[in-house]
Amino acid sequence: MTATTASPATTTRTVDATAAVYGLQGLGYAVIVTALPAFQERTGLDSTGIAAILLGVCGTAALGSLAADAIARRASSRHGVITGLSLQALGLVATAFSPGTAMLAASVLVYGLGLGLIDASSNMQGVLAQRGRAAPLLGRFFATLTAGSIIGALGMAGILSSGAPAFAALVAAAILQVVFLLSGARFLSRERAARTSADRGPRGPRLHGRAITVVGLVILAAYTIDSAVSSWGSIHLEAIGATAALAPVGLAAYQGGVLIARMVTDAVVRRLGRARLLAIGLIFGVAGALVVAAVPVPVVTIIAFAVSGLAVGALVPIAFGLAGSIDPARSDEVIARVNLFNYAGAVLGAVGVGVLTDVTGSGLAFLLPALLLVAAVPAWRRTAG
């Protein structure tokens, strides 16, 4: 691994640039998912067609995470960020001007590849920016991602209310990404935390697979909750008697919990330690899912979604912090592998909970995230030990 000693000013610029990458990631994703109704109107796709495209995005994003690993080995995660944002900008613009369904699907899949690259590479950069600093940073980085999502959603609402087409927001997001590439990417860390070419080969050192799996289970559980609430939260609320106007409040409460947790995670880690906060997050996550399953009352369910948001908001940055400490000299590679659990969780939350909803009802389906959180307890034992 090569490393350079940065001046305090450079370190500050690196932290700011890394935070900007997180923010751009959240903004771009919010813009493209809030444009889905416009995609349906323009192409005539039904819900199944949109779901198929989103599933394809998960697949290409997983490939993007693997590509981030390869790029980090050969160059650095900075190059992964540059490649990922370039693909995202291309995908956003192509999506905005896609004339038909085939071109739309291809454009969104290109965006998905960039999504996976940034998911992995931004966390590689986050771990590097945090390394050697007394204060943890990953919580605020993820808070920036959530804030970017909120800005993206509000930006789309503003564009639509002005009478402009939804696709103007896609172009605006792409422009912001290009501006960052031209002005901010040079401040990202150039450090490489991966095997060098001399280390490669059948007898080269192997990563700690069990530790990666243990930490990955936290990511899996967290993103299963995230995907389940995002995909099925409103449907469940209406199923238990919420009005159409009240149902979206569940997702808002969840996202509010995520943002609050991410804003305070770094301070709580300094005060309580990573192991205690991880335990609290697991307990909150299980409690939230159990309440959703057991108490079919809209107001109570909305509160439970907020509690689940607090759990997810804390668990994700803690998990990536743990990933960075498994093998610090190869943290880029570890994070790329751990990040793959993200997409498995997204599919489980959207598809798995949906299938269970047909079998058990929407309430009991939320026990799936609770079971996965229990399976993630070994990560707490690893941290506490």
Side-chain angles (χ1 to χ4, degrees):
M1 179 182 71
T2 59
T4 57
T5 302
S7 67
T10 301
T11 301
T12 300
R13 288 196 295 267
T14 298
V15 170
D16 291 342
T18 303
V21 174
Y22 279 83
L24 288 170
Q25 177 79 327
L27 185 147
Y29 187 73
V31 164
I32 205 163
V33 296
T34 53
L36 290 177
F39 295 160
Q40 285 187 292
E41 182 179 350
R42 187 173 68 184
T43 63
L45 280 170
D46 58 13
S47 297
T48 301
I50 292 292
I53 290 177
L54 291 177
L55 187 60
V57 168
C58 285
T60 56
L63 292 176
S65 189
L66 294 173
D69 184 12
I71 291 172
R73 291 186 188 189
R74 288 162 177 76
S76 71
S77 55
R78 174 177 172 271
H79 292 81
V81 170
I82 292 170
T83 305
L85 286 179
S86 300
L87 286 171
Q88 284 196 18
L90 174 62
L92 287 167
V93 172
T95 298
F97 296 103
S98 296
T101 303
M103 183 64 181
L104 171 68
S107 301
V108 174
L109 293 179
V110 168
Y111 171 82
L113 188 61
L115 181 77
L117 271 160
I118 298 297
D119 274 344
S121 298
S122 63
N123 285 312
M124 294 175 189
Q125 285 284 314
V127 167
L128 291 174
Q130 181 174 271
R131 187 169 295 164
R133 296 175 68 94
L137 296 172
L138 285 172
R140 71 192 73 176
F141 286 153
F142 277 97
T144 305
L145 185 149
T146 304
S149 298
I150 294 170
I151 292 170
L154 293 177
M156 176 64 81
I159 284 175
L160 292 175
S161 65
S162 72
F167 306 107
L170 301 179
V171 175
I175 290 172
L176 288 175
Q177 292 176 339
V178 172
V179 168
F180 175 81
L181 287 171
L182 296 175
S183 61
R186 66 181 183 273
F187 297 121
L188 293 170
S189 174
R190 298 171 186 269
E191 184 177 352
R192 184 171 67 185
R195 289 187 300 175
T196 65
S197 57
D199 294 324
R200 296 180 191 140
R203 297 191 179 184
R206 300 184 64 181
L207 290 171
H208 195 322
R210 184 178 184 279
I212 290 172
T213 301
V214 166
V215 174
L217 286 173
V218 179
I219 296 294
L220 176 70
Y223 280 101
T224 300
I225 295 173
D226 185 82
S227 182
V229 176
S230 300
S231 303
W232 301 100
S234 294
I235 293 172
H236 172 64
L237 281 166
E238 290 197 27
I240 61 175
T243 63
L246 181 62
V249 176
L251 181 58
Y254 168 78
Q255 292 291 358
V258 170
L259 181 59
I260 290 170
R262 288 177 172 176
M263 290 175 66
V264 304
T265 289
D266 293 335
V268 176
V269 167
R270 289 197 300 271
R271 185 174 183 85
L272 298 181
R274 201 157 52 185
R276 288 182 181 177
L277 184 55
L278 178 60
I280 292 170
L282 292 173
I283 291 169
F284 273 36
V286 171
L290 289 178
V291 170
V292 171
V295 187
V297 178
V299 173
V300 175
T301 297
I302 289 170
I303 294 172
F305 283 158
V307 171
S308 297
L310 290 171
V312 171
L315 289 175
V316 173
I318 289 173
F320 278 109
L322 283 171
S325 65
I326 289 174
D327 187 344
R330 298 174 64 186
S331 60
D332 288 352
E333 296 174 80
V334 173
I335 289 169
R337 286 159 175 75
V338 167
N339 189 63
L340 292 173
F341 288 84
N342 170 351
Y343 309 114
V347 172
L348 272 176
V351 179
V353 171
V355 171
L356 287 175
T357 294
D358 289 337
V359 176
T360 66
S362 57
L364 292 178
F366 277 89
L367 290 177
L368 174 62
L371 292 173
L372 292 173
L373 285 164
V374 172
V377 168
W380 170 77
R381 294 175 62 187
R382 173 182 172 81
T383 309

